[in-house]
Amino acid sequence: MARTTRNVKYERRGSPAASISSTPMGPPSPSPRKRKSPPPSDIQDNSSTRTIHTFIRSMAPSAETHQRRDEDEPPMFMQMKSRQDNSRGGRQGSPASQAADASFVQQSFAHTSFADIGLKQKACNDTLGNLQMLGVSHVAALPELVLVGDQSSGKSSLMSGLARVNLPRSAGVCTRCPLHIRLISSKTDHWSCTVSLQQDYDFKPFPDRKPRVSDVTKTNPFPPWAKMSHRDIKPFKTIYDPSQIEEVLRWAQIAILNHNQSYEAFVPGEGFIAKGKGLDVAAHDTDAQFSPNIVALEMKGPGLPDLSFYDLPGVFQSPEKEEDEYVVRVVENLTLEYIRREKAIIMWAVPMNVDIENSICLNTIRKAKASDRTIGVMTKADQLPPQNIPNWLATFKGSKVYVGHGYFATARPPGQALENATRWEELFFKNEIDGNPSWPLDFDQFADRCGVEVLLKYLSCKLGEAFTESLPSIKNMVFSRLKQIERDLDALPELPQNVEYEVKRSLFDFLVEMKNAVKDTEFLSEWNTLNTQFQSCIIKIKPTCRVKDNDLQTIDISGADSEVATPSPSKRPRPSDSTMRTVSTPTRRPLPDPHSQHTPVKNEDYSMGGGGVSRASSISISTVGPSNIPNPFTRFHNLGRLAMDIKDIRNEIILKKRPGMPRDLVPDEVRETLCLKAVRNWEKPLETYIGKTAELLGRTANSVLESSLGSLRRRLIFRECQKHLRDFIGDMVASQESRLQEMFDAETYQLYMMNDDVFRRYKGLEMEQLQRMRGLIRLKAATLLDWAYPLRKPEEMSEEERIKERKILDTHLPKLPKDPYDTEIEVAGFVRGYYMMAAARFVEGVTMNVNWHLLRSFRERQLDDYLDREFQIFGHCDPAIYGALMEEDEKTARRREQLKGEMDKLSRAMDSINELESSSSTTAHRNPNSTSLNEDDEMEDSIYVS
């Protein structure tokens, strides 16, 4: 459709929007760059042609006054165009969605209602304040006012005047972090101020030192602070008495300087630190000297201007302490960051009691090339030295230090109430105050630029104009970012429809399967095999005894072996020919077969229950049970080998015997020492047993986890469950180890027995073995028994062979003299008998305790209760926990939450913009052929996605 001139906005090139005020604008300030203003006749409003008005002007001339063109220049048609944002990633939308987006741009961003926003200055500034508080500047650059200045430049007094509230002015207060002050006029008759902490940076101090100047770099401008991916907003306190604002503001700054502590501890009247520590002490003991995070104040009340601005810490050159030299660079970097923002309007506070060239901020503004966006605010006009009047007059005229928006003068006397200071300032600039420094008459031509109230009107006007100009592009960028977030969320893995149900069902299935697995025959069979291997190991390391004296050859007598080394039959056996043979170096002896010179002696194993395995076979890795599980205890089988020697036993008896005691009387200490030494060999096998039990539980748990939660392997719930399960097994195994250690300590504390009958039975069996082997070797040494007589396990002999051997022993042993080592043999039998009794008691107790404590924790509710405490999902909990558990991983979960948080902020920002547009369109002249954004259902549906 062809446009008519009736629907076109006319503006003169480079000129500000016309004012709706009926009061004519005052004459512009004298300036070398002055241009002629358009006549009032150019501003008109009739039925045929309507020029759209924007904001109410202050009486101060704008900076654009210096850049106006001649009034006879023809008007210029303004047209808003949408530019596709190619910098954003993501897949392209469908043709239909692209057409809808194009329609959205044409129907909304170029809509005439944006021009009418100028009629709603309050609503406009409120919307801008909302967008600033939401933190959407990462998407679209927002117009903003930034107050900068050197230390002691009168900035705090100026800020109090702008905010119409007494803010802290004492030295060192509110200079260690930025402030964001938002002023909202309210029809209610009460005043309120909500203070919050806007955290964009994380505090990461150096572990062993303070920051240095060298740490401040382009990539790290604010050490030790690091930029976060999102903004955290912490509500601090809301007050209703303006007299409390200084205390609350100072505590809020202290909280933001102690980033890694809970901010709630610093809330005055509520936090434990604020209650227990003085304000000055707390301000001195902060973790950080400076913070780029923001303390935000939102003040509402009658008579407040609708304005928002940032107040930055004062720039300085020399810190109090040399170690804080880095703070100078950090504050300068912070000031530069705010000044360099392309939409920022800079309020530069410069005191009139010093030379303007001495301002540190001036160099920073020029460095950022922001002079055109700067408003010079002369403070302390009441302290102007007479000799400096010419310099400041030239500055006012713009011929000394150029700033794009010109200069304003303010005077705020210290120590006076706010309402008195405002009236005092008004009278001061009118030279109506007696007995005070007078305002030079030379500045009368700039009366329309003197006073905080005049400055406020100008700031409100300029900020509104900038926002009106930027709003279409802001809305375009916010909309584009919302579409991109929608695509990013679609690209993330989908969550189940009922996340809570899926999480609870999955964990319930796992717990049920875990209980069944620990009760299952397969698990119990493998664990029983481990128990059998452990028991066999404890029995095999029963102490063996070496029997040797000067008249006999060496005999090794063990509960499982009988080994004899014999010389060749061609020689008479002599004691010197007898040597002790070990398994690793077996000796040889001749057999009756003359064709075989040497045949290895058969190693025999005698076990109490009848049956056993040979010593040779136990050296290799044996397998026990149907599951063919490698024996982890094989390496311990020789721990008890050659643990006793009858000669050593005799020496121990002699050493511990008191003088005059009979030879065959053995001190109890000898028996106890040898018994406890034997059972101490259980420590390493016990560690292996509990370790292998833990491995078995771990394998079983992982198998159950795979079978019950395998389909969720890529989800966070699988990894979290795996981690918690591993921790639970570790905790329970550690507890079990402690219990078994107590059992081991009890066995090695002292010799202890209560069942004498069992002990006598074990000792009798051991004595029978020892005496049999001792008798056979004594008979061979006395040539009463053939050297070729084989020494075999009794169970391998026939009944006839056993009777024959018993007859040989009974017949020939009485012919030999009394055995001189019969006492030592009895001690060896005592030790081995006690060992067998204690071993049976220990193995039974260990396995029973593991079954009762460790395995029961899986069969009953201990695991259920543990997971409930860790996940905290079986009671009332935050629904977001279920969604997080069903994420693919923590990174994806964080990404999803960040995107949702950003979408929520941008959606609220879009609501605020739409509300502003809607309210403006109710009073503005609308194009009947245009469609507003609120009528574009497709766009609305595409944005607000949960």
Side-chain angles (χ1 to χ4, degrees):
M1 176 183 295
R3 293 193 179 205
T4 65
T5 57
R6 178 171 312 203
N7 299 321
V8 178
K9 174 182 176 182
Y10 290 89
E11 289 188 4
R12 293 195 179 275
R13 189 187 311 252
S15 67
S19 172
I20 66 171
S21 174
S22 60
T23 304
M25 171 67 79
S29 302
S31 172
R33 305 181 183 212
K34 182 175 65 175
R35 293 290 185 271
K36 187 162 55 178
S37 302
S41 59
D42 285 350
I43 306 175
Q44 52 185 323
D45 186 0
N46 52 48
S47 58
S48 60
T49 304
R50 181 174 179 174
T51 302
I52 304 302
H53 306 293
T54 55
F55 295 94
I56 299 175
R57 283 188 168 278
S58 71
M59 296 302 296
S62 67
E64 288 85 347
T65 302
H66 305 298
Q67 301 173 1
R68 289 174 177 163
R69 295 178 178 269
D70 293 337
E71 59 198 46
D72 56 350
E73 187 169 336
M76 180 180 63
F77 294 97
M78 304 296 292
Q79 181 179 1
M80 302 300 301
K81 292 186 177 181
S82 170
R83 180 176 63 185
Q84 184 176 0
D85 191 350
N86 295 325
S87 62
R88 299 186 183 276
R91 61 180 185 271
Q92 296 292 329
S94 65
S97 65
Q98 293 179 20
D101 295 346
S103 174
F104 165 70
V105 171
Q106 293 173 1
Q107 296 178 7
S108 179
F109 293 159
H111 197 271
T112 57
S113 60
F114 277 109
D116 299 324
I117 293 175
L119 301 176
K120 296 286 186 178
Q121 183 170 326
K122 170 177 168 49
C124 185
N125 286 335
D126 283 349
T127 301
L128 176 59
N130 287 335
L131 299 185
Q132 290 174 339
M133 294 293 288
L134 287 171
V136 299
S137 57
H138 67 288
V139 175
L142 299 177
E144 55 194 4
L145 294 174
V146 179
L147 176 58
V148 300
D150 299 354
Q151 280 190 346
S152 303
S153 62
K155 190 162 56 68
S156 296
S157 298
L158 174 62
M159 182 174 62
S160 296
L162 294 174
R164 293 181 178 173
V165 67
N166 288 316
L167 296 173
R169 302 188 192 182
S170 56
V173 177
C174 295
T175 59
R176 297 166 69 183
C177 69
L179 293 179
H180 181 240
I181 300 177
R182 181 185 178 189
L183 309 173
I184 304 174
S185 63
S186 173
K187 294 181 180 180
T188 60
D189 58 354
H190 68 271
W191 178 93
S192 68
C193 177
T194 299
V195 180
S196 61
L197 312 181
Q198 298 178 357
Q199 298 175 339
D200 298 307
Y201 294 83
D202 192 14
F203 183 60
K204 295 184 177 180
F206 297 99
D208 54 352
R209 64 177 178 85
K210 295 184 67 174
R212 305 189 184 105
V213 175
S214 59
D215 297 321
V216 184
T217 62
K218 288 185 178 181
T219 57
N220 187 24
F222 313 125
W225 297 89
K227 183 75 172 178
M228 299 191 301
S229 60
H230 61 286
R231 167 175 287 185
D232 284 339
I233 299 178
K234 305 291 179 61
F236 190 71
K237 190 178 180 66
T238 298
I239 57 176
Y240 303 94
D241 183 357
S243 64
Q244 299 177 349
I245 193 169
E246 177 171 352
E247 180 188 19
V248 173
L249 188 54
R250 293 186 65 184
W251 276 113
Q253 178 179 255
I254 293 171
I256 218 163
L257 294 172
N258 292 280
H259 181 83
N260 293 334
Q261 300 184 49
S262 173
Y263 73 95
E264 296 175 338
F266 300 94
V267 178
E270 302 175 16
F272 72 93
I273 294 180
K275 288 182 178 180
K277 186 179 290 189
L279 186 57
D280 293 336
V281 175
H284 183 268
D285 296 337
T286 55
D287 294 340
Q289 296 296 317
F290 168 85
S291 175
N293 290 326
I294 301 168
V295 173
L297 293 81
E298 184 180 273
M299 288 182 272
K300 298 180 180 179
L304 289 178
D306 293 293
L307 192 68
S308 62
F309 62 92
Y310 291 93
D311 174 46
L312 301 185
V315 180
F316 61 100
Q317 287 184 329
S318 301
E320 293 182 3
K321 299 179 181 179
E322 186 177 356
E323 61 185 13
D324 294 332
E325 189 71 31
Y326 76 97
V327 180
V328 176
R329 296 277 302 278
V330 168
V331 172
E332 181 183 1
N333 287 341
L334 181 75
T335 305
L336 273 172
E337 178 180 291
Y338 278 80
I339 290 178
R340 281 174 172 162
R341 295 176 182 176
E342 59 178 347
K343 300 294 184 180
I345 300 174
I346 314 303
M347 291 185 292
W348 169 37
V350 52
M352 298 186 76
N353 60 347
V354 297
D355 292 335
I356 191 171
E357 293 86 354
N358 295 334
S359 172
I360 305 173
C361 262
L362 176 60
N363 182 56
T364 306
I365 292 171
R366 287 173 172 172
K367 184 177 181 180
K369 302 185 185 305
S371 296
D372 288 339
R373 296 183 281 108
T374 299
I375 303 171
V377 183
M378 301 174 182
T379 63
K380 303 183 181 181
D382 54 315
Q383 302 178 29
L384 172 62
Q387 65 272 18
N388 285 352
I389 291 177
N391 289 335
W392 285 104
L393 190 59
T395 301
F396 237 137
K397 294 179 179 180
S399 60
K400 189 173 182 65
V401 177
Y402 166 76
V403 291
H405 290 272
Y407 289 86
F408 289 81
T410 64
R412 310 297 290 185
Q416 293 196 24
L418 181 65
E419 58 275 9
N420 295 337
T422 302
R423 178 60 179 164
W424 183 94
E425 182 185 52
E426 180 182 354
L427 295 176
F428 170 78
F429 285 118
K430 292 181 179 180
N431 280 306
E432 296 179 3
I433 298 180
D434 297 331
N436 286 279
S438 60
W439 179 236
L441 297 178
D442 307 71
F443 294 96
D444 281 353
Q445 57 185 314
F446 303 108
D448 60 348
R449 283 190 167 238
C450 292
V452 171
E453 293 302 314
V454 175
L455 175 62
L456 269 171
K457 292 178 182 178
Y458 184 81
L459 293 175
S460 182
C461 176
K462 300 311 294 183
L463 191 63
E465 289 176 356
F467 185 53
T468 302
E469 181 182 351
S470 303
L471 190 54
S473 64
I474 292 172
K475 188 172 185 180
N476 191 7
M477 292 178 183
V478 170
F479 173 71
S480 298
R481 178 57 185 160
L482 280 169
K483 297 287 287 184
Q484 181 62 50
I485 292 175
E486 182 183 344
R487 290 192 292 269
D488 291 344
L489 287 172
D490 290 342
L492 294 177
E494 287 297 327
L495 298 178
Q497 292 294 329
N498 192 333
V499 178
E500 180 178 352
Y501 169 77
E502 289 296 330
V503 169
K504 289 184 176 181
R505 182 192 61 79
S506 300
L507 289 178
F508 179 79
D509 291 347
F510 165 74
L511 290 171
V512 170
E513 289 192 34
M514 189 67 207
K515 289 182 177 64
N516 293 335
V518 177
K519 299 176 184 177
D520 187 67
T521 304
E522 182 179 354
F523 172 84
L524 293 177
S525 175
E526 188 170 351
W527 182 61
N528 185 62
T529 299
L530 183 65
N531 292 342
T532 302
Q533 292 171 337
F534 174 63
Q535 181 185 40
S536 176
C537 173
I538 297 299
I539 298 301
K540 284 183 179 295
I541 60 178
K542 178 173 61 176
T544 62
C545 181
R546 173 185 291 178
V547 181
K548 181 180 182 180
D549 63 70
N550 294 333
D551 298 323
L552 299 176
Q553 69 183 101
T554 301
I555 307 172
D556 178 17
I557 302 176
S558 71
D561 301 276
S562 299
E563 301 177 2
V564 180
T566 59
S568 169
S570 61
K571 296 183 180 181
R572 174 79 180 208
R574 294 179 299 175
S576 60
D577 293 328
S578 300
T579 59
M580 182 64 204
R581 190 187 72 177
T582 65
V583 177
S584 58
T585 56
T587 58
R588 296 175 179 270
R589 68 177 184 179
L591 294 180
D593 185 0
H595 302 289
S596 179
Q597 296 181 356
H598 298 89
T599 302
V601 176
K602 181 178 181 181
N603 298 320
E604 296 178 336
D605 184 2
Y606 181 79
S607 137
M608 287 284 97
V613 294
S614 69
R615 173 72 72 178
S617 66
S618 68
I619 295 174
S620 61
I621 298 179
S622 62
T623 58
V624 180
S627 56
N628 202 30
I629 302 173
N631 192 334
F633 302 99
T634 302
R635 63 183 185 276
F636 304 124
H637 285 175
N638 288 327
L639 284 179
R641 189 167 183 79
L642 306 179
M644 295 186 294
D645 186 300
I646 56 175
K647 292 174 65 176
D648 293 337
I649 295 175
R650 172 169 291 184
N651 292 336
E652 189 73 14
I653 294 173
I654 294 173
L655 183 64
K656 301 293 176 61
K657 186 190 300 185
R658 294 198 307 270
M661 292 180 63
R663 172 191 171 280
D664 58 351
L665 185 61
V666 180
D668 292 341
E669 186 179 355
V670 173
R671 300 179 188 274
E672 185 172 43
T673 299
L674 292 174
C675 289
L676 296 183
K677 179 182 178 182
V679 300
R680 288 192 183 98
N681 288 330
W682 298 344
E683 184 173 16
K684 294 299 180 182
L686 181 63
E687 292 176 0
T688 300
Y689 172 74
I690 189 62
K692 292 299 179 180
T693 302
E695 287 182 14
L696 175 59
L697 277 173
R699 290 197 310 271
T700 303
N702 287 332
S703 176
V704 172
L705 194 64
E706 287 288 343
S707 63
S708 59
L709 298 180
S711 60
L712 304 176
R713 190 179 296 104
R714 297 180 59 188
R715 304 283 184 179
L716 184 61
I717 186 175
F718 183 89
R719 286 180 291 277
E720 285 293 301
C721 193
Q722 193 175 46
K723 173 183 176 297
H724 294 322
L725 188 60
R726 184 169 56 248
D727 293 342
F728 177 76
I729 293 176
D731 292 345
M732 296 307 300
V733 168
S735 174
Q736 185 65 68
E737 286 177 340
S738 177
R739 291 169 176 268
L740 299 186
Q741 184 64 41
E742 289 182 354
M743 296 178 63
F744 175 77
D745 293 342
E747 291 289 350
T748 57
Y749 174 64
Q750 67 179 24
L751 184 150
Y752 188 87
M753 69 179 78
M754 288 293 294
N755 198 330
D756 293 338
D757 292 338
V758 173
F759 168 71
R760 283 194 292 268
R761 185 163 61 252
Y762 276 121
K763 180 182 177 183
L765 292 173
E766 296 299 328
M767 288 299 297
E768 181 179 343
Q769 289 186 66
L770 288 168
Q771 290 171 351
R772 170 179 175 257
M773 299 305 297
R774 177 71 176 173
L776 290 174
I777 197 60
R778 289 185 70 204
L779 291 179
K780 286 187 177 183
T783 67
L784 296 177
L785 183 63
D786 190 353
W787 281 102
Y789 182 81
L791 302 178
R792 295 180 295 170
K793 292 185 293 184
E795 61 269 20
E796 294 181 353
M797 301 170 62
S798 65
E799 183 66 23
E800 182 180 353
E801 289 174 331
R802 285 197 295 270
I803 294 174
K804 181 179 179 181
E805 182 182 271
R806 184 73 260 167
K807 185 176 181 180
I808 293 173
L809 291 172
D810 291 341
T811 302
H812 297 293
L813 277 180
K815 299 177 183 178
L816 300 178
K818 181 177 176 7
D819 189 348
Y821 285 93
D822 58 350
T823 300
E824 289 74 10
I825 293 296
E826 187 276 332
V827 171
F830 180 96
V831 172
R832 287 160 60 87
Y834 176 82
Y835 180 93
M836 292 300 297
M837 184 192 69
R841 177 177 65 199
F842 183 68
V843 171
E844 199 78 19
V846 165
T847 54
M848 183 175 65
N849 197 280
V850 169
N851 182 63
W852 171 77
H853 178 68
L854 182 58
L855 301 188
R856 189 180 70 163
S857 64
F858 289 88
R859 299 188 189 111
E860 298 182 1
R861 285 201 51 84
Q862 286 92 326
L863 179 58
D864 305 48
D865 296 339
Y866 181 85
L867 293 181
D868 187 17
R869 289 193 302 271
E870 294 299 324
F871 284 113
Q872 297 182 351
I873 60 173
F874 293 103
H876 298 289
C877 70
D878 185 356
I881 295 178
Y882 300 109
L885 288 173
M886 294 303 287
E887 292 286 359
E888 281 204 343
D889 50 41
E890 290 186 14
K891 183 178 179 181
T892 303
R894 287 195 301 268
R895 176 64 174 162
R896 183 186 293 275
E897 288 305 311
Q898 289 173 5
L899 289 174
K900 286 184 176 180
E902 185 180 2
M903 171 171 275
D904 178 64
K905 290 181 180 180
L906 295 181
S907 297
R908 284 189 283 161
M910 187 65 77
D911 284 342
S912 184
I913 295 173
N914 289 340
E915 183 179 352
L916 174 63
E917 183 186 26
S918 178
S919 64
S920 298
S921 64
T922 59
T923 57
H925 175 72
R926 298 178 59 90
N927 185 345
N929 296 322
S930 298
T931 305
S932 71
L933 171 63
N934 295 331
E935 297 169 357
D936 193 339
D937 295 335
E938 181 178 353
M939 201 286 296
E940 294 288 341
D941 294 339
S942 68
I943 290 179
Y944 301 105
V945 179
S946 60

